[in-house]
Amino acid sequence: MIRIALVCQHGASTGLCMEKMKQAAEKNNIECTINAYPYSEMGTLVQFADCILLGPQIGFKKDSFIEQYPQAAERIMVIPAMDFGMMKGEKILQDALKIIQGGK
């Protein structure tokens, strides 16, 4: 089972994006869990998430997260602001799957 974590300031603004991604996963028969978390839970997320997607509003923290959790560097991505703003759940899901498969 693929585990995708969406991360934002408090875990709330990514809720709609998470729902759109879940709909896309269901539509495409992709078995995964997708949940939203506040960035304060990064220490836990790097241990179990296959992909960690940062909301664009905290994208500036990516480098510090990579410094703190180098073992997860290849699994952390900032969601493009346009995709997030337009709630392109299917595109964001496909981007996450590319990261999981090792092809940024």
Side-chain angles (χ1 to χ4, degrees):
M1 174 79 66
I2 297 169
R3 298 163 301 199
I4 299 172
L6 279 77
V7 179
C8 68
Q9 186 76 24
H10 300 290
S13 68
T14 52
L16 183 57
C17 184
M18 175 187 71
E19 290 304 320
K20 295 285 187 177
M21 290 177 68
K22 286 181 177 182
Q23 291 169 6
E26 187 175 320
K27 175 183 158 192
N28 293 294
N29 296 315
I30 299 169
E31 288 189 39
C32 62
T33 60
I34 305 169
N35 292 297
Y37 303 90
Y39 73 82
S40 60
E41 294 188 33
M42 279 295 285
T44 302
L45 298 176
V46 297
Q47 296 174 27
F48 76 83
D50 297 308
C51 181
I52 300 168
L53 302 176
L54 304 178
Q57 68 276 29
I58 63 162
F60 68 94
K61 291 183 172 284
K62 180 181 178 184
D63 290 340
S64 69
F65 288 145
I66 288 173
E67 279 182 34
Q68 241 180 321
Y69 310 105
Q71 72 277 22
E74 296 298 317
R75 297 182 281 137
I76 298 173
M77 179 190 105
V78 178
I79 300 170
M82 185 67 77
D83 293 344
F84 188 82
M86 296 181 74
M87 291 295 148
K88 293 184 176 182
E90 191 152 351
K91 164 93 171 41
I92 297 166
L93 177 62
Q94 292 305 318
D95 289 347
L97 294 174
K98 285 179 192 171
I99 291 218
I100 292 166
Q101 295 164 354
K104 283 189 176 180

